[in-house]
Amino acid sequence: MTTPARVLIVEDEKQIRRFVRVAVEEEGCEVVEAETRAQGLLEAGARQPALLILDLGLPDGNGIDLIRDLRGWSDIPVLILSARSQEHHKIDALDAGADDYLTKPFSVGELRARVRALLRRGSRSADSASPVIVFGQVVVDLSRRLVTRDGAEVHLTPIEYRLLTVLVGHPGKVLTQRKLLREIWGPSYVESSHYLRVYVG
């Protein structure tokens, strides 16, 4: 018997969450729910879903930041469901690492078709990366956004933390300044190398 694919829905509106849950369960999937960005990241680390369905407007932050944090340790497909229909919102989400974008309101048929497509793609490139990275005395728990050294918590600014996660997400690889600037600050900052020098310093 095939194990059902696990889908994580991160959405703060209960009615939309229920609607999406029913549609996804009709595809034979197991569903896990979260209402906040922090809870979504924890569930992604603990449950290792095959697909993440994400709203951009969350009560404790932007869904785009969740995607960037997730991409530090996982390649699971991400489907955005958002009422934000302007082109720049879609571009920002896709540049941050989302795989697809569906604007609210949407039909159940289209939602289910996109879920099927992303699950097919995800099954071909399944990634078993762990959300916990250890090097020397340093432990980076990406799902809890926690960095410790010798057991003591290391306090980092959001940019410092994002820079660290991009670096530890590419072990043994040389990363160009342009790639780091694009991953951390976004595509419009690829020429702003002074930002990188300040934070690395």
Side-chain angles (χ1 to χ4, degrees), residues 25 28 33 53 69 71 80-81 91 105 110 122 126 137 139 189:
E25 285 178 340
E33 297 180 14
I53 298 177
D69 291 340
R71 286 296 176 244
I80 300 295
L81 300 182
I91 291 169
E110 184 176 8
Q137 300 301 312
V139 178
Y189 290 86

Side-chain angles (χ1 to χ4, degrees), residues 56-89:
L56 292 181
L58 298 170
D60 61 340
N62 193 325
I64 287 178
D65 291 329
L66 189 155
I67 298 169
R68 287 186 177 128
D69 291 340
L70 182 74
R71 286 296 176 244
W73 54 272
S74 176
D75 287 327
I76 65 166
V78 175
L79 170 60
I80 300 295
L81 300 182
S82 179
R84 300 174 186 176
S85 59
Q86 292 182 309
E87 183 182 35
H88 71 91
H89 292 302

Side-chain angles (χ1 to χ4, degrees), residues 32-119:
V32 178
E33 297 180 14
E35 295 181 39
T36 65
R37 175 182 162 217
Q39 185 186 3
L41 201 56
L42 283 171
E43 292 289 359
R47 306 292 189 108
Q48 299 288 304
L51 171 66
L52 170 61
I53 298 177
L54 174 65
D55 181 25
L56 292 181
L58 298 170
D60 61 340
N62 193 325
I64 287 178
D65 291 329
L66 189 155
I67 298 169
R68 287 186 177 128
D69 291 340
L70 182 74
R71 286 296 176 244
W73 54 272
S74 176
D75 287 327
I76 65 166
V78 175
L79 170 60
I80 300 295
L81 300 182
S82 179
R84 300 174 186 176
S85 59
Q86 292 182 309
E87 183 182 35
H88 71 91
H89 292 302
K90 297 176 184 180
I91 291 169
D92 290 346
L94 294 167
D95 280 344
D99 297 276
D100 200 356
Y101 196 108
L102 188 56
T103 305
K104 300 172 185 174
F106 49 83
S107 72
V108 68
E110 184 176 8
L111 171 62
R112 289 175 61 184
R114 288 175 188 253
V115 166
R116 288 192 300 270
L118 289 170
L119 287 173

Side-chain angles (χ1 to χ4, degrees), residues 12 16 20 42 56 60 62 94 107 121-122 125 165 180 189 193 201:
D12 62 324
I16 294 175
V20 174
L42 283 171
L56 292 181
D60 61 340
N62 193 325
L94 294 167
S107 72
R121 188 183 313 160
S125 62
T165 61
L180 289 170
Y189 290 86
S193 58

Side-chain angles (χ1 to χ4, degrees), residues 150-169:
D150 293 325
E153 185 174 350
V154 178
H155 296 283
L156 299 173
T157 67
I159 294 289
E160 290 169 342
Y161 176 79
R162 192 168 294 141
L163 178 59
L164 176 65
T165 61
V166 171
L167 291 171
V168 299

